[in-house]
Amino acid sequence: MLAVSVAHGIASLPMDFYLGIERTFQDLNLADGGKNIQRRNFGEDERMYRALNKLFRNRAILGQIAEMIIKDSLSYLPDPALKKITDKLIGAASSLGSRQSMQLAITGYLGSKVVGGMMASVITKLSLRLWTGTLAGGIVLQGVLSRASAASRRLRHQNPELWSRLYILDFEMLYFLFEEPLANYIELGETLRKNPSKTEQFLGAIENL
């Protein structure tokens, strides 16, 4: 995992450098958008600092964010699908409760069985990304900030409700860490949110589990 994280960090340096130069020009009010983009970037920088400060004081925050993303995806599932998944993962007894209890049961299960193993990789990649960026200069750190900001704005456009819940806690600037590891959950929520007609197709797939 360490070797892969280092390789990933080094491979991303050219793009981070390019994004860092672009963001630096924006911060200096030398790019299109002028002071509006400059103010936006400064606000995002401040929120990223607060988020990282919270994260490195309490790494359990990563699990909390992951569970918020998974819970959001589950919220678009109809009750029969939730019951079927609960039966498969946890047992029929757990699916006898309310919709909320089934959501909590599935989220908790995934949090302990899946998310827990993923978090070590995520925190390692983040630490090495920041360390590599520091060694390579401030421009690369600006590139990491650019990636985080772009992911936050993408989430705000695609799923404003989830973005708002993360934003209240300063966590939306860490969303970029989860786009790849939780891609399946994010895609599930987005598909059912934007195209409810696919619910029946999804239910059919669940029935075949």
Side-chain angles (χ1 to χ4, degrees):
M1 183 181 67
L2 181 62
V4 170
S5 297
V6 171
H8 185 270
I10 293 173
S12 67
L13 280 177
M15 179 56 69
D16 285 339
F17 192 78
Y18 168 79
L19 293 173
I21 291 175
E22 181 182 51
R23 191 177 181 89
T24 299
F25 272 86
Q26 292 173 350
D27 289 353
L28 295 173
N29 193 17
L30 297 174
D32 293 341
K35 289 190 176 181
N36 289 333
I37 298 297
Q38 184 187 52
R39 283 194 295 269
R40 182 199 69 184
N41 284 3
F42 288 166
E44 290 170 344
D45 292 351
E46 183 179 348
R47 295 186 63 77
M48 184 63 158
Y49 172 79
R50 291 203 301 265
L52 289 175
N53 191 38
K54 290 179 181 180
L55 173 60
F56 286 109
R57 283 191 285 121
N58 179 15
R59 294 188 180 185
I61 283 173
L62 287 175
Q64 184 182 344
I65 297 172
E67 289 186 4
M68 289 172 72
I69 295 171
I70 293 172
K71 186 177 180 181
D72 177 80
S73 298
L74 296 177
S75 69
Y76 300 100
L77 288 174
D79 288 349
L82 274 177
K83 184 178 185 306
K84 185 71 175 181
I85 293 173
T86 307
D87 289 349
K88 288 288 185 181
L89 293 181
I90 305 167
S94 300
S95 65
L96 298 177
S98 65
R99 176 183 176 86
Q100 183 178 11
S101 66
M102 286 191 290
Q103 282 183 270
L104 289 173
I106 297 172
T107 302
Y109 177 89
L110 293 173
S112 61
K113 300 294 183 182
V114 180
V115 177
M118 185 191 77
M119 288 305 99
S121 175
V122 170
I123 195 66
T124 300
K125 285 182 179 180
L126 175 61
S127 299
L128 285 169
R129 201 175 188 88
L130 295 175
W131 176 69
T132 305
T134 301
L135 291 180
I139 293 293
V140 174
L141 288 179
Q142 283 278 71
V144 175
L145 278 169
S146 182
R147 288 180 185 272
S149 299
S152 172
R153 291 193 291 271
R154 197 159 47 243
L155 177 64
R156 187 177 186 178
H157 173 73
Q158 295 173 348
N159 191 344
E161 291 185 10
L162 176 59
W163 180 87
S164 296
R165 288 194 289 272
L166 293 172
Y167 181 85
I168 292 172
L169 301 170
D170 288 332
F171 293 163
E172 89 289 352
M173 290 298 290
L174 298 176
Y175 178 74
F176 77 108
L177 295 171
F178 299 87
E179 284 189 299
E180 182 180 340
L182 295 182
N184 289 337
Y185 299 100
I186 294 169
E187 183 180 355
L188 168 66
E190 186 173 356
T191 298
L192 296 180
R193 186 173 65 254
K194 294 182 177 179
N195 194 352
S197 63
K198 289 196 173 182
T199 299
E200 290 300 322
Q201 178 182 345
F202 183 79
L203 281 172
I206 294 292
E207 287 299 325
N208 293 325
L209 286 175

